[in-house]
Amino acid sequence: MELRIDLSAVASARALAARITAPVVAFVGQHSTVAVERATLRLLGLDGVGRDEIPLPNRFVDALAPSTRARGVAGALGAAMAETGASLDAIARDVDAGTIDLEAFAAVPEAASRAVLEPLVRAAFVRIDRARAAREAYLARLPQGAPPLLYVIVASGNIYEDRSAAVAAAEAGAQIIAVIRSTAQSLLDYVPYGATTEGFGGTYATQENFRIMRAALDEAGERLGRYIMLTNYASGLAMPEIAAIAALERLDMLLNDSMYGILFRDINMKRTFVDQHFSRLINARAGIIINTGEDNYLTTADAVDQAPAVLASQFINEAFAHAAGMPDAQIGLGDAYEIDPDREDGFLMQIAQAQLARQAFPNAPLKYMPPTKHMTGDIFRGHVMDALFNLTSVMSHQTIHLLGMMTEAIHTPFLSDRALAIENARYVMNTARHFGDDIEFKAGGRIERRAAEVLASALALLQDVESRGLMTAIETKTFADVARMRDGGRGADGVFARDERYWNPFEEALAPRGALA
Amino acid sequence: MELRIDLSAVASARALAARITAPVVAFVGQHSTVAVERATLRLLGLDGVGRDEIPLPNRFVDALAPSTRARGVAGALGAAMAETGASLDAIARDVDAGTIDLEAFAAVPEAASRAVLEPLVRAAFVRIDRARAAREAYLARLPQGAPPLLYVIVASGNIYEDRSAAVAAAEAGAQIIAVIRSTAQSLLDYVPYGATTEGFGGTYATQENFRIMRAALDEAGERLGRYIMLTNYASGLAMPEIAAIAALERLDMLLNDSMYGILFRDINMKRTFVDQHFSRLINARAGIIINTGEDNYLTTADAVDQAPAVLASQFINEAFAHAAGMPDAQIGLGDAYEIDPDREDGFLMQIAQAQLARQAFPNAPLKYMPPTKHMTGDIFRGHVMDALFNLTSVMSHQTIHLLGMMTEAIHTPFLSDRALAIENARYVMNTARHFGDDIEFKAGGRIERRAAEVLASALALLQDVESRGLMTAIETKTFADVARMRDGGRGADGVFARDERYWNPFEEALAPRGALA
Amino acid sequence: MSTTIRPYGDTRDDGAMQLSFTLPMPWSEAADEAARQLVLAMGFTDVAVADGRAIASGYSQFVVYARTAIGIDIDAIVAPPKRETLDIAGVDALVASRLGRAIRVAGACIGTDAHTVGIDAIMNMKGYKGDYGLERYRAFETYNLGSQIAVEELVRFVRDRAIDAVLVSQVVTQKGSDIANFTALAELLEAENLRERTLLVAGGPRVTNRLAAELGYDAGFGRGTAPSEVATFIARRIVERAHP
Amino acid sequence: MSTTIRPYGDTRDDGAMQLSFTLPMPWSEAADEAARQLVLAMGFTDVAVADGRAIASGYSQFVVYARTAIGIDIDAIVAPPKRETLDIAGVDALVASRLGRAIRVAGACIGTDAHTVGIDAIMNMKGYKGDYGLERYRAFETYNLGSQIAVEELVRFVRDRAIDAVLVSQVVTQKGSDIANFTALAELLEAENLRERTLLVAGGPRVTNRLAAELGYDAGFGRGTAPSEVATFIARRIVERAHP
Ligand code: B12
Ligand code: B12
Ligand SMILES: Cc1ncc(COP(=O)(O)O)c(C=O)c1O
Ligand SMILES: Cc1ncc(COP(=O)(O)O)c(C=O)c1O
C-alpha cells in the first residue's frame, strides 16, 4: 500500500528543515554547556561520586572558572594532567576535595593537553567501537526477528525488579526493553550513581543500572536465541552524559529529541539545542538508534489537529540528526496512535498518518507509540484499541513498536499486562502479516486525502517556522501549544559561549565535516 | 474493495446449483411429511396441547391413516368440518379424545373440503400479511440502523430471564436478538407449548415464548427509537411448524438451512428436503429472512479446507430458496470467521472469503458468524480475535453480524459479555467505517489468489455433486466429512409419498409457478 | 516444606488481581462506591474501581484492581500425577505382550450433548494436533457411538459388547447437566453390575481428574488432552487389572 | 430499608465474577489447581479456571470465573452528594451578588507530577468536553501554576496572593506518591495557619470525594470531572463561608 503523495512537497519540507536547523546548528558551534563538558569527562573515563554524593563530573565542571570553562573542560583537565602527571581520577578526587586549583594550569600549551588526553580519547573510542561491534556480532548471531519490533517498558523503580520483569517480557516475546526513568529525571542536572531501588514512576537511569540490565538481557538473549535490545532516555538536562554512558554500556536505542526538553520540560532551548547535538554525535558513533518524541504532541492536544506538527517536527528532528552525522538508519522518528477512538474513520486517519511517515522517511526506523490518552479503565475496550494499533503498525511497516497496555489508564504495567500486550501484537501481526502489502489505497480516497492534507499543512508550518526562525517560532506557541522564551526555562545558566580557544576532542573527532561551520 | 473474480465461474456455479436442486425439488413435489401437515394445521389456526401434553397438531396428524394422510391433512380436516359443521378446534379436541374417526369422512368431495377451509386459509394469510406489514411500518418509523447489524444471543433456558437479557442487549446497541433453542430441540418431532422456564443451553422455541419476546422487543424498540429484530431456529424435525408460528408472531429471521439437519443432526435427508421447502414457502410470504448454517462446516473441520464447501453450500441454499420463491433480499447465507488464529495471513484469507461471498451474492443479506472453535479461556486474546472479525465484517459489508463473545469457550453469554461484545463491534465498525471502501486489493495478490482458489474449488465440488446427484453426494461424505444414507436418520418415517389427490392450500397459494413441476 | 505464593502484579507478594463484574443497579457514583465496598467485603485491600459504567438501564459494569493477602502453599497442592505417555508402538506392545488381546473401547457423547469434536479427537484415526487417535492403535477395538447417546443405550452397548473401557464426553456444562449425566452413567453401570469390570473415563473441557474421581470415575481428562495420554492410561490400567 | 445485591452473570444473585491474575510459579496442571484453591480460599465458589498458561519461565497467568455469596446493601451506601451544577452565568451571578468580588483560585500539579492535562482541563479557558474552564468565569481570578510545583512554593503563593481556593492535581499514584503529596500540602497549610481560610480541593483520576475527605480536604474530584462542577462547588462554598 503506497500513498500517491507529492514527492516534491516532501523534498521541500526536508529542504526547509535543513534551512530551519542551520542557524541553530551554527549557534551550537559557538556554545557549550555544563552537560557537554561533563559528558566529555565521562567519555575520558571519569565516573563515581564525591562529596555529598555529587557525581565527580559535576564537581569537576562546577569547579571551573567561567573563563576556563569557556575553553572547554578538556583543556583544563589535559593541562592539569600534563602538569601534575596525575591520572584523571586522581585529579578529579583532588578537585572534589578542593585540594587542587584548576586555574593554576592555564599556561599549559594546548598541544601538551591534547597529547596527554590522546590515549584517553582513543580508549573511549575503542570502548564505544567495541560495544558497537559487539552489538553487530550479536545481531548476526542472534537475529532479533522481523519488525515491527515489540518494545515494552519496565518501570518498577527498582532495577532488580525491572530486571526480572524485563527477562520475563523477553521470554514472552519482547524484542526491545525500555527502562522508564524515574519521574522527571530529565530535570536533574546530573546523572545519578550506582544501582538504584527506589524511583517514582520509573527507575533512575544510571550507568550501573544500564550495566545490570544489559547483562541480564544478553543472558536472556543467548537463552532465547534472539538479541534483546535495551533502551533508555537521554533528553533532559543530562542528555549528553546519558548518551555517553549509553555508548559505553551498549544500549541500542535512546529517547533523544531535539525539542522535547524545551516544550515538555521547560528546559532552556539553547541548552537543549547544544546538548542534543553533542549527544547525537555520540549516538551516531555508537550506532545507537535515537527515538524522537513527537508522540508527546498528541498526548496534550488533539491528535487530528496535531498531525501536521508531528510531521514538521519529524523533519526538524531528522535535520538535526543529519547535522550530527546520523545516518537515516539511526533516526527513529516518533509518531503515535492517539486519535479519538469515537471518531468515525479515525482508523483511516491513523493509517494515513503512519503510512505518510513511512514514505516521507523511507529509511528511518520509525517509532510507533500506542494509544495512551484515550485509554480508560475499560481494559477490554483498551485491548481492542491496541489491536487496531498493532494492525496499523504491521500494515505500514513501522519499525519500533511500543506495545499498548490495556491498563494504560490504571497503573504502570504489571508483568501480565506486558505478556497480554505481546500476545495481542503477535497474534495481530502474524494473522495480518502481509495485509498491508496486499492492498492499495483508492486514488483520492479518504486515506489519500488525509495524507495530502497533513503533508500540505506540515509544509506550510515549516515555511512559517523558516520565515521566523526556530527560536522565535518556539517563543510563539508554534509547537504543542506552548510558548518557551529563548532565555527562560531550566538549565539556561549551564549554557556558555565558547572561547575562541575552545576545543573538545570528541566533537572534533565526531563532527561531520562542515556541520558546525 | 472489489475482488477481480471470474464472473462466469459464479454464473456456472449458480446454474449448477439450480440443476443440483431441481431433482430434489421434484422429489419434494411428490412427497409430504408429518411436519408439513402439522404446520398446515397450525396455519389453519390449530394450537394447544392435548392428552399427555402432546400438541394438538401432532395428535391430529398421528390420528390419520396412512392413506388419508397421503391425501393431505387439509382434505381430512376440511371433510370433517364440512360434514360435522364443527370448528377446527372442536374437531381437534375430539381427535385428541379419540371421539371422532377422521376416516369416516373420506367420501366428502374435495370441493366441499376446500370451501370450508377457505376462510381459515384466508385468515392465515391476513395474519401473516399483517405481521409483515407491521414489520415494514416499524422499520419505516424506527429504522434499525446501518448494517452490519449487531446480533446477539440469549440462552438462559428461561424466557423471562431471556427477556431481561434481550432488552439489556438492545439498550447496549444490539439490533437483532436470537433466542437460542434448548439443546437439540431440532430433534423434537413437535413444537413445545407455552412459556417455558427450563432448558439446556437455550430456551425452547414455542409460540408463547415468541410472543413474549416479540412484545418485549417492540416495547424496547419504541423506547430506543430502533426496531429490534427477533430470530430463532427452524431447522430440525419441526421446521415447517416453526416457520408457521414465526410468521404468525412476527419473527424477522429464522435459522433455516436446507442441509443442516441432515449433516449435523442426522435427520433423514428426504424429510429435511421436504420440510425446508415448505418452511421457506412460508418464510417467503412472511418476509422473514432466512439464515443458513454454513458456519457449521467450519466448527467441525478445518476452516481453510472447508471454504469451498461453504461456498458450494451457499449456492445450493440459494437455489433451494429460489425454488421456494424467496427473493435474494431474504436469503441470509452463512459464513464464519473460523480460520486458525495462529496461521500466518489468516486474516487475509478471511477477508478473501467474506468478500467473495459478498460479490457472489450481491443482494443477499449475508450472515457472518464470529470465531468460536478457536476461542479459548483466554478472554483477552479472544476479544482481539473478535475485533478482527468485526473489522472484516464492516470492510466486506456483511449484513447480519453475530457478535463474538470473549467467553465463547467458557459459558453461554453473561449480560456483560454481550455488552462488551457490542462495545467492541461499535468501536471497530465506527473507527473503520469506510476502510473497506477506501482500499483495493492488489491484482493477483494473496487475497485475490485465495478467493480465486476457493471459487474454483467450489465450482469443481458443485460439478461433482451435479454429476452424482445431491442425495448420493451426501451419502458419500461430500459435505462436512459426514455420510448420511438417504433412508437413514431421524424422522424418516414421517416422510410419505403424496397420493395423486394430495392437496395443500398453502402450498398451492405459495408455490412459485412451476417450481414443483 | 511450605512455599506460600500470592498473586503477582509487579512485585512479589503484592497480591494484585483484576476483577470484573456486573451489578444489577443503574450506574452512578454510588454504584462505583457499591462496587468498591463489595470488593472490600470480599477481603481485598487497595480496591481501585478502574472503570464503572452503565451497560443497560438497570446494570452497571466494573473493572476493579485490588490486592489480596491470601496466599497458597504450593507444596501442599496435590499435583495431578504426571502422566507419562507411551507412543503407539509402546502401547501396542504393552497390550499385546501383557494382555494378549485388543482392549474394547466404547466412546460417546452422552445425554443431549452433541459436541463430538472432543471425543472424536480422542478416538478418530486423525487424532488431535498431530497425535493419532485410538482407532490407529492395534491395541484397541474401538466403537465411537457419537452424539446424544442415552445413558441406557450406552450401558446396553457396554454389556452386549463386553466393553473394557468406556469414554464419555460432556462439553455442555450449563446448569450442571454434565455432572447429572456423568453421575447417571456411573450409577447405572453400578446398578447393572458392570462398573467393576469396566474402566470408566470422563472427558471434556471442564473435566479434571479431581472432578472425575469425585464422581467415581477412574480418570478424567480436560482441555487440550492428547489421545496418546488416554491410550497410555487405558492400556496401563487394563493390563494392571489383568495382572494385579 | 435494605436492598442487597450481588454480582450478576446471567441470573439475579448468581454472584458471577471474572478474575485474572498471575502466580509466580511455572505453569503446569498443578498451577491450575493452585489457582483454583487460591480463589476458593478467598471465599468464592464454583471456581472455574478457564485459562491457565505460562507467560514467562517462572510465571503463570489465569483467567478464572467464580461465584461469590457476598452481597452489598445498596441502601446503606453513602452516595456522594449529587452535585448540582450551575452554568457560568449562574456561578458569576452568585459570586457577584453574594461575595461582591472575584474568588482567587490557584491550581497546580504538585510534587514531581507533570500531568497537567487534568488540571488544565479544569482551569484553562478551553475546558473539558465542551464545558468551559474556570478562566472563562468572571467569578474567578485564576492562577495556574503548572506542573511539578513544590508544596512550599504553592503555600508561599497562597499566602502572598491571598488565595481563596487551592486546586491540586495528582495523577501519578505509584507507591502512594499522591497521598504523600496531598498530605504534605494539607499539613504545611495547617502549619502556616492558612488552612482555615482556604478552600482545599484535590483532583485526579484516582481521587474520590471520600479519599479527599480522609486527607482533610474540602472536596475531591475524580475521572471525568467537568469544570462547571468544580466552579459551582467553589462558588457555593466560598459564598457560604462568607455568609454562614
Ligand atoms: C463446535 C461447537 C459446537 C458445534 C458442535 C459440533 C460437533 N459436532 O461437535 C455446534 C455448532 C453443533 C454446537 C452447538 C451447540 N453448542 Co456448542 N460449541 C462449540 C465450540 C465452538 C467448540 C467446541 C469444540 O469443538 N472444541 C474443540 C474440542 C477438540 O475441544 P474439547 O471438546 O474440549 O475436547 C478436548 C478435551 O476436552 C478432551 N475431551 C473432550 N471430550 C473427551 C472425552 C474423553 C473420554 C476424553 C478422554 C477426553 C475428552 O479432549 C479433546 C481434545 O483435547 C464451543 C466453544 C469453544 N470454543 O469451546 C461451543 C460450546 C461448547 N457450545 C455451547 C452450547 C451452549 C451449544 C448449544 C447448546 C447452543 C449454542 N450456543 O450453540 C448447541 C447445542 C449442541 C448440543 N446439543 O450439545 C456452549 C456450552 C456452554 C456450557 N459450558 O455449558 C459453548 C462453550 C459455547 C458458548 N459459550 O455458549 N456447538
Ligand atoms: C498524557 C500522559 C502523560 C503526558 C503528560 C502530559 C501533560 N502535560 O500532562 C507525559 C507523556 C508527559 C507523561 C509522562 C509520564 N507519565 Co503519564 N500519562 C499520560 C496519560 C496517557 C493520560 C493522562 C491524561 O492526560 N488524561 C486526561 C485528563 C483530562 O484526565 P485526568 O488527568 O484524569 O483529569 C481529569 C480528572 O481526573 C479531573 N482532575 C484531574 N486533576 C484535577 C485537579 C482538580 C483540582 C480537579 C478539581 C479535578 C482534576 O479532571 C480532569 C478532567 O475530567 C496517562 C494514561 C491514561 N490514559 O490515563 C498516563 C499516566 C498517568 N502516566 C503515568 C506515568 C507513570 C508517567 C511517567 C512517570 C512515565 C511514563 N510511564 O510515561 C511520566 C512522568 C510524568 C511526570 N513527571 O509526572 C502513569 C501513572 C501510573 C500511576 N497510576 O501512578 C499513567 C497512568 C500511564 C501508565 N499506565 O503507566 N504522561
Ligand atoms: C524524547 C523523550 N525524552 C524523554 C522523555 C521522558 O523523560 P522525562 O520523564 O525524564 O522527562 C520522553 C517521554 O515521553 C520523550 O518522549
Ligand atoms: C441452520 C441452523 N439451524 C439450527 C441450528 C441449531 O439448532 P439445534 O441445536 O436445535 O439443532 C443451527 C445451529 O448452529 C443452525 O446453524
Side-chain angles (χ1 to χ4, degrees), chain B residues 83-315:
Chain B
E83 194 74 2
T84 62
S87 70
L88 162 56
D89 232 61
I91 293 173
R93 293 275 160 210
D94 287 346
V95 171
D96 181 51
T99 55
I100 189 171
D101 176 10
L102 292 169
E103 309 307 318
F105 315 110
V108 177
E110 183 180 319
S113 290
R114 283 184 178 274
V116 74
L117 289 187
E118 213 265 347
L120 302 190
V121 173
R122 219 176 330 109
F125 284 122
V126 166
R127 232 178 120 185
I128 292 172
D129 295 347
R130 268 207 200 124
R132 182 177 184 143
R135 179 190 306 115
E136 282 157 11
Y138 268 120
L139 282 171
R141 191 162 58 81
L142 307 171
Q144 65 183 150
L149 300 172
L150 307 186
Y151 171 127
V152 298
I153 65 168
V154 294
S156 74
N158 178 326
I159 189 65
Y160 301 106
E161 291 276 356
D162 282 354
R163 179 171 62 179
S164 315
V167 169
E171 288 171 351
Q175 292 158 304
I176 307 175
I177 303 291
V179 183
I180 300 286
R181 286 197 300 206
S182 182
T183 293
Q185 185 177 340
S186 51
L187 304 185
L188 302 184
D189 210 341
Y190 62 90
V191 179
Y193 182 76
T196 66
T197 55
E198 298 258 303
F200 287 107
T203 307
Y204 287 101
T206 74
Q207 190 164 356
E208 182 59 20
N209 286 348
F210 286 4
R211 221 175 271 137
I212 291 170
M213 192 56 90
R214 177 73 279 166
L217 295 184
D218 283 349
E219 200 204 284
E222 291 289 352
R223 190 154 45 81
L224 299 168
R226 294 185 282 116
Y227 180 66
I228 311 295
M229 288 192 156
L230 175 61
T231 174
N232 209 299
Y233 294 70
S235 308
L237 289 168
M239 200 166 188
E241 291 176 275
I242 294 199
I245 60 178
L248 300 173
E249 302 305 338
R250 190 167 31 88
L251 267 64
D252 305 290
M253 298 182 180
L254 271 182
L255 273 274
N256 178 322
D257 191 280
S258 57
M259 303 196 289
Y260 166 84
I262 307 168
L263 300 171
F264 302 102
R265 285 287 183 252
D266 198 9
I267 294 175
N268 173 262
M269 68 172 88
K270 295 175 181 169
R271 171 73 181 257
T272 293
F273 285 134
V274 176
D275 284 350
Q276 63 85 27
H277 180 78
F278 192 76
S279 72
R280 288 177 178 195
L281 291 177
I282 303 169
N283 293 159
R285 176 69 168 236
I288 286 178
I289 294 170
I290 61 166
N291 290 189
T292 63
E294 281 80 5
D295 42 279
N296 292 289
Y297 294 97
L298 308 178
T299 58
T300 45
D302 181 74
V304 171
D305 298 346
Q306 289 292 318
V310 165
L311 184 60
S313 169
Q314 289 172 328
F315 278 111

